[in-house]
Amino acid sequence: MEQQVLDLLAATQSPIDTPRKDAERQLEQLYTNEAFPNSLVSIASHKSIPLNLRQSALLVLKTLVLKAWSPSLDEYTGQVLINDANKEHIRQTLLEIVTSGDEDRKVTSAASYVVSKIASADFPGAWPSLLPTILHLVPRTNDGQLHGILTVLSDLVEDGFDEQQFSESARDLVKCLYDVSVDGSKKLMLRALAVSIFRACFDTIEMVYQNNKASVKQFMQEASDAWSPLFIDVLKLQMPAMPTEDDDDQGTPAVADWRGVIALKIQVVKALEKIQQIFPQLLSSHVLHLFSSAWEALQAHLGPYNALYVEEDRQGRLEDADRLPYTLDFLILEELDYMQGLLKAPQVKKELEAQLASDGTTNGNHTANWVFEVLRTLVGYSQISTEEEGLWVIDVNIFLSEETSETANYSPRNACADFVRKLCEWMPAQVLTSLLGYTRSIFSDESASWRTKEATLFILKQIMDEFNSEDRVVDSGVARSYIEYIRTTMNDSNDFLRARGYIVAGTLTTASGDTLKDLAPDFAQQSLNAINNDSSDVVKVSCIRVLQEYLRILPSSSAREFQVQIVAAISNFLSSHDLSDLTDNEDILDTLVETLRDAIMADPSLCLEHSALDVLFTMASYGATSFQTTMLVNEAFESIAHSMAARGSEAYSQLCAKVFPTLTGALDVADLTEENALSDLALSLLNSLAENGPEPLPQGFVATIMPKLYRIIFSNASFSLHQTATTSIKHILVHDSSQILSWQDPETGKGGLEVILLIIDRLLGPDVDDKSAAEVGSLAVELVEKAGSEQLGPYLMQLLRVVAVRLSTADHASFIQNLVLVFARLSVTNAPEVLDFLAQVQVEGPGGGTGLEVVMRKWLENSVNFSGYDAIRQNVIALANIYKLHDSRLDGINVQGDLIVPDTDRIKTRSRAKQEPDQYSIIPVPLKLLKVLIQELANSTSPIRAGVNIGGKGVDEGSDDDEWEDEPGVLDLGAPGTRSELMSFMDESRWNTRQWDDETQSFLADFFRHIANEPDFQNQYSLLNEIEREKLNNIGQV
């Protein structure tokens, strides 16, 4: 059989679809053959077989194991297909592959992963010898075997062990890892891998701690005492001689030593960070020693870092096959982040404050303290690297994304920015004055490079940003001291230093309060001149962005004067560039839109006199595919429309006359049968125009856009176009119902009312999906309220019947809410008539029945998921009104009640959830009405209702044990404990995303007080669950 399997595995490598898929299907058909898994492990273990086929065999085996090894595996499909004898053979063979020591790492890695999955099901019950065998081998292995064993341990810790399995093995496992980590005879990369596995153990330890705090505390304290000396020694470990580029190319022993030391240091720092996050008190006695060791290492690494990445262009961000990073830039990132975390330690703060007090700074010497030294080091690591310089020259968009911190590239420069801002939170005055002292020394040194000067001002900008965010004002003397240096850099020959000068000028001006306000017009003018005349795009985009700072602080009269110049400068920038390139340069385009928006908002009425809106629409057309750009354009235009409407009908009419040709033209040329981002944007802007319009709208508004909206809704356009077009018609009804209802389509001769009814009928029809029709309910309600039964006549009942029928088949949550609110809004004032009407409607098909049955089931089963203040309030009032009717017809309608929780502690995996779907009790509508209304009561223990006294014990404010603190200083989203905590918030009793308003809560409290003594309520009260009764009792209704 092995040859058959081998041939099929080879066929799965084919680039041709048909034979590849046929081979994959045949392999799946072999799952039930008892010889199949043995053939796979046999192929995987034969070194004479090509590597890719051995890997493929292990991948197929992994899939088979996940699906058919044990019911405890998440992807188990319902039948165990491997007998016990074969399981034993597979386990033994895979372990031999992993621990042989002479296998290719790709094979070892694939085999190790399968071992970890098997172990998660079989260890220790069916495979008790696994861990003892592995740990027993460690002292007797060569480097190749040790690597295989560590790979298995890594997979077991990350994916194989559950909490119970880990708890039983933790002590032996951690001891084994420690022995490898301290063994100087082992390869440095293997020692680093052992530390990495130890760090990974903390994710599981954190979860175990939740249920067994005492024993975990003791265990972790013992582990910490053992590992701390190793960590400190590694932090102090001297770096070997830096390898040359030739050494890198040839892979000399010097390269292995260099990479090994870095990898080990990185894993140690990561482990320290992990401990600091989860169990900070464990290292409290060592924290000062750790801080000084990490600080000395950070200073010692500055020279090599600059040599590798600032003076040269060595490759960084490299990892080995075990995902262990081994380049110096990674180490610097970890050290900076760790140092930043240690700044929060009370012992460190106390020690540094004491040093600062004794450094003689009171005599004005700001260059002889540790703050100065920290800033000097941060400036060194903040220098633009050779790689960054090359990238930014080629692509200004990358520069801008780094400058705005809207990048996933986390570099030492970014880490330094975070560090100095954290330091500035603690001691802003000392940081600012110390940096001024360092700035003076740098700018007075003729040998100082442009990179150092640029980095110094980069750090200054971070401090200014922190001052701005905390509403602090920079000392006037310090602020004016920087002006000389800023003016110098604004005229420097280096593009990046020149750009930095313009950027810092704006940031410093805004952060210094009124001190430099008099300079804002001059700096703004210089920035405008640079946009028009500077040769560097880096400088130009920096100046375009910094104009936003000046527009915020310039007097309104000055800002209006600059508006025309800014519009012209942006227009000139656009005309000098290939606009098609902007599609791929979203950060530049967004900056242009933001600056233009701010300029327009200085006085929106002026935009009618020049090309501002044309420039905005030009940029919008090229950024229509970008979510961020379209959002910015929409926000800008919405602000303009709102402002013009507030100025009166004439100003708004002028705006409409200016923008209608462009926006409607975009809809005329668009192919609505295909996805078209530009038509989406144009329609969205028209929607903003309608939403923010005055009452009444200008004459001709409806005649201009209604034919476009009608065409869109009756086309096969995207759901977003259908939704926006529907919303636009609703806004027109809100602002000027008489104009739209009296309008007549010149092409068809149909009146506005008939056109809207046709639109509603189209959207509620079976050919339109839920997402496309998501807003039709709001339109229907608005039409009913504005037109009234007098104008709608017999169409009213027909309209409501169609809504009820469509509700029976609706699945999309927002669509269900939209349709239900049609009946909810009517029930607020006419609940009896609504029930009478629904009782007469008959809905055909699956889940059909009377309209009353269909609507109430959908309504009550989805009500608690409604969103929006107005929607929730209307829904609550409507349901309360219906309950107070005590309509006997509702007693005979059964709906979904509470979730039936099975009496088992077994975890429900994905496969088990499919086999055993959730079950609910069945209850009558009146009881469900009560349950829904009670659920709408804000939890008295909810943070947003913290003032409510629930009459019970307060929240546990923490342990009295000051020797232990188990709250992490930094939230680790990757930790299983954190994930578990986040998932626990799915319990409604702990949180609720529903936002309550006081008016609704007051209404509910009055409602329950009013019905408290009614016989029906007293009978239903006994059927409520304990939580529901407690909620009622807490507000004193019963």
Side-chain angles (χ1 to χ4, degrees):
M1 186 178 191
E2 287 182 20
Q3 188 58 50
Q4 177 191 0
V5 174
L6 199 56
D7 292 340
L8 290 173
L9 291 173
T12 62
Q13 312 287 313
S14 172
I16 304 172
D17 279 351
T18 302
R20 185 179 67 251
K21 291 180 178 179
D22 185 56
E24 291 170 351
R25 185 172 58 255
Q26 290 185 57
L27 284 172
E28 288 185 9
Q29 292 171 353
L30 290 174
Y31 280 7
T32 55
N33 190 316
E34 290 190 354
F36 180 55
N38 287 347
S39 297
L40 290 173
V41 292
S42 177
I43 291 170
S45 63
H46 276 77
K47 297 177 183 177
S48 60
I49 295 175
L51 179 63
N52 64 321
L53 297 183
R54 297 174 67 195
Q55 281 184 274
S56 181
L58 288 167
L59 291 174
V60 173
L61 179 61
K62 178 200 74 173
T63 304
L64 177 58
V65 166
L66 291 175
K67 290 183 176 182
W69 187 278
S70 168
S72 64
L73 296 174
D74 281 352
E75 296 177 40
Y76 177 68
T77 55
Q79 183 181 3
V80 174
L81 299 177
I82 306 170
N83 61 45
D84 290 344
N86 285 346
K87 283 184 177 181
E88 180 61 31
H89 173 70
I90 291 169
R91 288 191 290 254
Q92 188 62 35
T93 305
L94 288 174
L95 200 55
E96 289 173 0
I97 293 174
V98 171
T99 59
S100 65
D102 57 355
E103 289 287 3
D104 185 279
R105 285 200 171 188
K106 293 180 180 179
V107 172
T108 301
S109 178
S112 172
Y113 186 77
V114 183
V115 168
S116 71
K117 289 303 178 185
I118 294 174
S120 68
D122 290 0
F123 179 81
W127 200 2
S129 63
L130 171 62
L131 198 60
T133 299
I134 293 176
L135 299 183
H136 179 74
L137 287 173
V138 169
R140 302 166 178 78
T141 56
N142 58 35
D143 287 341
Q145 291 173 310
L146 179 58
H147 176 265
I149 291 171
L150 291 176
T151 302
V152 172
L153 291 176
S154 177
D155 285 335
L156 286 173
V157 169
E158 292 185 6
D159 297 300
F161 288 153
D162 61 22
E163 294 177 38
Q164 182 64 31
Q165 292 168 334
F166 180 83
S167 299
E168 295 171 356
S169 314
R171 195 170 296 277
D172 292 337
L173 173 62
V174 170
K175 175 65 167 59
C176 173
L177 295 172
Y178 174 78
D179 290 342
V180 175
S181 300
V182 298
D183 190 345
S185 66
K186 302 297 184 185
K187 282 186 176 181
L188 288 164
M189 294 302 287
L190 292 176
R191 294 173 64 191
L193 182 55
V195 177
S196 173
I197 299 169
F198 173 63
R199 174 175 57 88
C201 290
F202 278 86
D203 291 337
T204 309
I205 289 173
E206 185 183 10
M207 291 192 294
V208 175
Y209 175 70
Q210 304 302 320
N211 300 317
N212 200 351
K213 294 188 177 183
S215 60
V216 172
K217 284 181 184 181
Q218 180 182 353
F219 170 72
M220 285 308 306
Q221 193 62 61
E222 293 173 1
S224 174
D225 292 342
W227 285 78
S228 294
L230 168 66
F231 289 160
I232 293 172
D233 288 345
V234 173
L235 288 177
K236 292 182 174 182
L237 188 63
Q238 295 295 312
M239 295 289 290
M242 188 172 66
T244 64
E245 288 192 71
D246 288 340
D247 290 331
D248 281 339
D249 294 337
Q250 297 170 15
T252 63
V255 172
D257 288 343
W258 173 264
R259 292 178 176 178
V261 170
I262 291 175
L264 182 58
K265 282 177 170 285
I266 289 173
Q267 294 309 317
V268 163
V269 176
K270 280 177 170 285
L272 287 168
E273 286 181 295
K274 194 73 172 180
I275 296 172
Q276 188 72 22
Q277 290 168 5
I278 301 175
F279 304 118
Q281 291 302 315
L282 282 180
L283 299 175
S284 58
S285 61
H286 304 284
V287 70
L288 289 177
H289 203 171
L290 289 167
F291 182 83
S292 62
S293 300
W295 169 239
E296 290 168 5
L298 193 61
Q299 288 181 302
H301 298 155
L302 179 58
Y305 175 83
N306 283 334
L308 288 170
Y309 303 113
V310 177
E311 297 168 12
E312 299 182 24
D313 187 15
R314 298 284 191 94
Q315 191 170 1
R317 298 184 175 278
L318 297 177
E319 297 179 344
D320 71 357
D322 297 310
R323 303 192 305 276
L324 294 179
Y326 59 79
T327 48
L328 186 59
D329 55 335
F330 273 132
L331 175 58
I332 301 306
L333 283 175
E334 296 299 336
E335 289 177 337
L336 285 168
D337 286 347
Y338 181 53
M339 287 288 294
Q340 183 184 150
L342 287 179
L343 284 178
K344 294 181 292 186
Q347 304 97 312
V348 172
K349 277 192 171 184
K350 183 177 179 181
E351 174 65 22
L352 292 179
E353 286 171 349
Q355 288 186 24
L356 197 63
S358 64
D359 276 340
T361 55
T362 54
N363 297 321
N365 180 11
H366 298 291
T367 62
N369 60 68
W370 65 264
V371 178
F372 182 90
E373 288 302 313
V374 168
L375 291 171
R376 183 186 66 81
T377 304
L378 294 179
V379 168
Y381 283 118
S382 296
Q383 293 181 86
I384 298 174
S385 69
T386 304
E387 180 187 24
E388 288 171 330
E389 181 185 5
L391 288 173
W392 295 352
V393 168
I394 295 171
D395 191 344
V396 182
N397 195 71
I398 299 177
F399 165 79
L400 195 57
S401 66
E402 296 278 356
E403 191 63 30
T404 56
S405 299
E406 294 177 357
T407 174
N409 178 35
Y410 189 62
S411 66
R413 184 175 168 98
N414 304 129
C416 288
D418 291 343
F419 194 114
V420 77
R421 293 188 70 155
K422 184 65 67 177
L423 191 62
C424 199
E425 288 178 11
W426 176 18
M427 45 182 62
Q430 293 92 329
V431 171
L432 188 57
T433 51
S434 294
L435 184 65
L436 178 58
Y438 184 71
T439 304
R440 285 171 174 157
S441 67
I442 289 298
F443 277 82
S444 63
D445 183 358
E446 295 184 359
S447 64
S449 68
W450 69 264
R451 294 180 194 273
T452 306
K453 293 177 180 178
E454 192 279 339
T456 303
L457 294 182
F458 171 79
I459 293 296
L460 173 63
K461 181 184 182 299
Q462 310 313 311
I463 297 172
M464 295 299 96
D465 287 342
E466 182 61 29
F467 269 69
N468 277 328
S469 67
E470 297 295 327
D471 293 326
R472 296 192 180 100
V473 177
V474 177
D475 177 78
S476 59
V478 174
R480 292 197 177 276
S481 297
Y482 273 107
I483 297 301
E484 175 189 352
Y485 308 123
I486 289 172
R487 291 192 185 279
T488 300
T489 55
M490 288 168 68
N491 294 297
D492 196 88
S493 59
N494 182 271
D495 295 348
F496 294 106
L497 183 54
R498 196 162 66 253
R500 180 59 53 199
Y502 283 108
I503 292 169
V504 174
T507 311
L508 181 63
T509 303
T510 55
S512 57
D514 295 332
T515 301
L516 303 180
K517 259 191 176 181
D518 58 316
L519 298 178
D522 178 50
F523 280 150
Q525 189 60 56
Q526 289 188 56
S527 297
L528 279 166
N529 295 340
I531 296 170
N532 292 321
N533 303 317
D534 201 283
S535 59
S536 168
D537 277 351
V538 169
V539 175
K540 288 181 178 181
V541 298
S542 298
C543 290
I544 290 171
R545 185 168 184 270
V546 82
L547 285 173
Q548 299 170 29
E549 305 269 7
Y550 298 125
L551 286 167
R552 282 197 286 271
I553 61 171
L554 283 170
S556 56
S557 58
S558 298
R560 285 195 296 271
E561 292 173 5
F562 274 110
Q563 185 186 97
V564 176
Q565 294 186 64
I566 292 174
V567 171
I570 292 175
S571 179
N572 290 338
F573 180 85
L574 292 172
S575 63
S576 63
H577 290 76
D578 184 353
L579 296 183
S580 61
D581 291 342
L582 293 179
T583 304
D584 300 321
N585 295 301
E586 292 182 10
D587 293 290
I588 293 177
L589 192 57
D590 292 346
T591 297
L592 291 168
V593 172
E594 288 171 337
T595 303
L596 181 62
R597 174 201 61 197
D598 292 350
I600 290 174
M601 292 313 297
D603 188 349
S605 63
L606 295 178
C607 70
L608 301 177
E609 302 172 8
H610 50 69
S611 60
L613 289 172
D614 295 331
V615 175
L616 180 66
F617 291 157
T618 298
M619 291 189 291
S621 65
Y622 284 94
T625 57
S626 164
F627 172 78
Q628 178 71 11
T629 304
T630 54
M631 183 181 69
L632 289 171
V633 171
N634 271 303
E635 288 178 353
F637 189 73
E638 184 176 348
S639 299
I640 295 168
H642 180 77
S643 176
M644 299 301 278
R647 292 172 183 264
S649 297
E650 184 177 350
Y652 183 81
S653 298
Q654 292 174 354
L655 175 64
C656 292
K658 188 173 182 67
V659 303
F660 269 161
T662 302
L663 299 181
T664 58
L667 295 176
D668 287 337
V669 301
D671 182 358
L672 299 179
T673 62
E674 298 180 0
E675 187 172 345
N676 189 305
L678 184 57
S679 58
D680 272 345
L681 178 58
L683 184 58
S684 181
L685 296 179
L686 282 175
N687 181 57
S688 293
L689 202 60
E691 182 179 8
N692 293 280
E695 296 183 14
L697 294 169
Q699 285 302 312
F701 190 99
V702 172
T704 302
I705 70 171
M706 268 303 290
K708 316 291 183 185
L709 302 178
Y710 184 86
R711 170 175 168 255
I712 289 170
I713 290 175
F714 276 86
S715 70
N716 293 322
S718 66
F719 73 88
S720 59
L721 281 174
H722 282 153
Q723 287 182 8
T724 310
T726 308
T727 305
S728 300
I729 298 172
K730 183 193 75 173
H731 291 320
I732 295 173
L733 269 171
V734 170
H735 289 292
D736 198 345
S737 58
S738 63
Q739 183 179 164
I740 192 171
L741 293 177
S742 62
W743 167 73
Q744 191 169 34
D745 187 349
E747 292 187 9
T748 63
K750 296 174 180 175
L753 177 60
E754 185 179 359
V755 168
I756 297 175
L757 287 171
L758 288 171
I759 287 172
I760 293 174
D761 185 65
R762 151 79 172 162
L763 293 173
L764 290 175
D767 296 332
V768 178
D769 61 32
D770 284 9
K771 289 192 292 184
S772 292
E775 298 296 331
V776 68
S778 300
L779 175 60
V781 169
E782 206 61 49
L783 179 63
V784 170
E785 292 187 353
K786 295 297 184 182
S789 58
E790 297 80 8
Q791 293 189 63
L792 286 171
Y795 294 119
L796 175 58
M797 295 298 104
Q798 184 179 346
L799 171 62
L800 296 179
R801 181 178 289 104
V802 174
V803 173
V805 171
R806 183 59 195 272
L807 182 59
S808 69
T809 60
D811 293 316
H812 199 268
S814 62
F815 186 39
I816 292 173
Q817 172 178 328
N818 207 257
L819 294 181
V820 164
L821 286 177
V822 173
F823 301 103
R825 285 178 64 171
L826 293 174
S827 298
V828 169
T829 54
N830 297 294
E833 289 85 348
V834 171
L835 296 192
D836 289 342
F837 164 75
L838 290 174
Q840 299 170 24
V841 174
Q842 191 66 35
V843 178
E844 305 296 336
T850 66
L852 189 59
E853 294 171 335
V854 169
V855 171
M856 293 311 299
R857 287 195 183 105
K858 282 281 188 177
W859 191 343
L860 293 174
E861 289 172 7
N862 292 276
S863 180
V864 294
N865 298 317
F866 287 3
S867 60
Y869 281 119
D870 289 339
I872 293 173
R873 185 184 301 117
Q874 291 168 8
N875 184 56
V876 164
I877 296 172
L879 292 177
N881 287 348
I882 291 173
Y883 178 85
K884 287 188 291 187
L885 294 176
H886 299 293
D887 193 311
S888 60
R889 290 172 295 189
L890 299 178
D891 296 332
I893 302 175
N894 291 325
V895 295
Q896 192 179 83
D898 296 332
L899 175 68
I900 300 174
V901 181
D903 185 18
T904 177
D905 57 358
R906 294 183 67 188
I907 296 174
K908 180 173 281 192
T909 62
R910 288 190 297 264
S911 59
R912 189 171 294 120
K914 293 177 182 178
Q915 299 167 13
E916 305 169 8
D918 289 337
Q919 300 293 320
Y920 292 85
S921 62
I922 302 299
I923 60 177
V925 164
L927 179 58
K928 182 67 174 182
L929 281 167
L930 274 184
K931 285 177 170 287
V932 169
L933 290 171
I934 292 170
Q935 193 163 354
E936 292 295 352
L937 280 170
N939 282 332
S940 53
T941 56
S942 169
I944 66 169
R945 305 286 294 176
V948 179
N949 180 11
I950 65 172
K953 294 182 179 180
V955 177
D956 182 8
E957 295 181 355
S959 169
D960 293 332
D961 183 5
D962 293 331
E963 300 302 317
W964 186 267
E965 181 182 344
D966 62 337
E967 292 297 329
V970 179
L971 182 64
D972 181 10
L973 294 177
T978 303
R979 293 197 298 268
S980 175
E981 186 71 13
L982 291 173
M983 289 303 294
S984 71
F985 281 97
M986 292 306 291
D987 177 7
E988 191 269 342
S989 65
R990 296 192 58 180
W991 77 286
N992 200 318
T993 57
R994 308 289 302 289
Q995 294 182 312
W996 296 280
D997 64 280
D998 291 338
E999 182 181 339
T1000 303
Q1001 293 301 302
S1002 177
F1003 173 86
L1004 282 168
D1006 290 341
F1007 167 76
F1008 283 113
R1009 291 189 185 101
H1010 179 74
I1011 67 170
N1013 295 318
E1014 293 181 359
D1016 286 348
F1017 175 76
Q1018 292 293 335
N1019 292 333
Q1020 291 156 348
Y1021 179 79
S1022 62
L1023 301 176
L1024 300 175
N1025 61 44
E1026 183 178 346
I1027 294 174
E1028 292 164 341
R1029 290 197 295 268
E1030 182 182 1
K1031 269 192 173 185
L1032 293 177
N1033 292 333
N1034 286 338
I1035 58 173
Q1037 294 96 341
V1038 181

